[in-house]
Amino acid sequence: MPPNASPFATSFAASEKTADKTLDRDAFHKALLAKGDYYHLHHPYQVDMAQGRSTPEQIRGWVANRFYYQINIPLKDAALLANCPDASARRRWIQRLLDHDGHADDGGGIEAWLTLGEAVGLSREELWSQEHVLPGVRFAVDAYVNFVRRADWREGAISSLTELFAPQAHQSRLDTWPTHYPWIDATGYAYFRKRLGEARRDVDHGLELALDLCTTPATQQRALDILQFKLDVLWSMLDAMTLAYQLDRAPYHTVTDERVYHRGLS
């Protein structure tokens, strides 16, 4: 890489051959929104949960595996902050880390997810032990965190743009779960209500960055590729859960009923 070259600009150059014209701001915004067709809200596992077809085991499996994603979000955001030389951007982005880890009188998103876990019948100890986390989920989440650690901070920011579609998912759960799953303690829904406002605020910041930065065919295509990568991460997590909890094909199911999966390597 030439001295003083931007890693952001250099990595974007790899996409130069895949696009031939720059979209105007509105058209690029629409192209980002069109990626919502691939959001994990449309995965059959999520559809089943929304339509009341999921068993308690399937709900608990989703909550336990998604917890691994939740506890890695602050690590992802801390990595992005470490890569970001722009103080003004850091001041805005750090709120995301606080949203999950908590601050002052706000227990944060991780605490709210632990409450959700208890509401569906999981103990805090089970969640923190990661004993239920499937290898496919772990690999997908780790790939996301490692991408942000290595990427230019602006690319890391763009990878968070799945938040464009998150409020719809949170609202869907608030609208459907109380009716379909009366056995779930209502205290567990605090996380989804909390994230409705936070996700919309985060979207404003992430979208502003993407629209301001991506003003060439190469950078726009790179942004769309990064967003698709994040969508792949979320979809792959549910593929792993489908095998384990819907098709009864958990890892090593032909060998053992034990959850022998590794729980992370130092």
Side-chain angles (χ1 to χ4, degrees):
M1 183 183 301
N4 302 319
S6 165
F8 182 75
T10 301
S11 60
F12 271 23
S15 299
E16 190 69 54
K17 295 180 180 179
T18 64
D20 55 9
K21 67 177 181 178
T22 302
L23 300 175
D24 64 33
R25 193 177 182 91
D26 183 60
F28 180 50
H29 186 188
K30 289 178 179 177
L32 292 170
L33 291 177
K35 287 291 186 179
D37 290 347
Y38 310 110
Y39 190 52
H40 65 165
L41 179 65
H42 306 299
H43 191 286
Y45 200 100
Q46 290 271 20
V47 173
D48 284 346
M49 288 195 295
Q51 296 184 358
R53 292 192 291 267
S54 295
T55 66
E57 180 194 17
Q58 289 162 359
I59 295 286
R60 285 192 282 268
W62 179 78
V63 171
N65 278 272
R66 181 79 180 190
F67 183 67
Y68 186 66
Y69 178 85
Q70 300 303 131
I71 62 176
N72 272 278
I73 292 301
L75 303 183
K76 177 269 298 184
D77 287 324
L80 186 149
L81 287 167
N83 291 337
C84 178
D86 185 334
S88 62
R90 291 198 303 269
R91 282 192 293 269
R92 292 184 68 179
W93 201 272
I94 199 170
Q95 184 60 50
R96 298 172 185 243
L97 194 154
L98 297 174
D99 287 342
H100 285 274
D101 278 346
H103 57 94
D105 296 328
D106 182 350
I110 292 174
E111 175 61 28
W113 199 271
L114 288 165
T115 301
L116 172 62
E118 291 175 320
V120 303
L122 295 164
S123 70
R124 289 174 175 244
E125 291 74 19
E126 277 182 281
L127 291 169
W128 280 118
S129 74
Q130 301 179 17
E131 65 187 81
H132 299 290
V133 178
L134 300 162
V137 170
R138 189 180 296 277
F139 293 149
V141 173
D142 290 354
Y144 178 39
V145 176
N146 288 329
F147 169 78
V148 176
R149 282 177 177 152
R150 295 193 301 266
D152 181 278
W153 73 273
R154 292 164 289 190
E155 293 195 341
I158 287 168
S159 72
S160 295
L161 279 178
T162 47
E163 290 162 343
L164 285 165
F165 323 116
Q168 182 184 359
H170 298 319
Q171 190 63 59
S172 172
R173 293 168 196 137
L174 290 169
D175 291 343
T176 63
W177 281 29
T179 299
H180 294 315
Y181 310 110
W183 56 271
I184 298 177
D185 190 314
T187 59
Y189 298 129
Y191 176 86
F192 305 131
R193 287 191 292 269
K194 173 182 171 61
R195 285 303 297 163
L196 278 175
E198 292 173 353
R200 291 187 178 109
R201 179 208 63 212
D202 293 346
V203 162
D204 289 342
H205 184 206
L207 191 57
E208 175 188 319
L209 283 169
L211 295 177
D212 287 347
L213 292 167
C214 301
T215 57
T216 67
T219 54
Q220 290 177 348
Q221 184 59 51
R222 177 66 174 173
L224 292 169
D225 290 343
I226 290 170
L227 180 52
Q228 185 61 57
F229 159 71
K230 177 62 180 306
L231 292 165
D232 294 348
V233 166
L234 297 174
W235 198 274
S236 295
M237 291 170 63
L238 290 174
D239 283 346
M241 290 181 233
T242 297
L243 281 170
Y245 306 122
Q246 292 186 324
L247 300 179
D248 296 322
R249 294 184 177 183
Y252 310 107
H253 71 282
T254 59
V255 178
T256 179
D257 293 331
E258 298 292 324
R259 292 189 291 267
V260 297
Y261 336 130
H262 77 287
R263 298 186 192 179
L265 303 173
S266 60

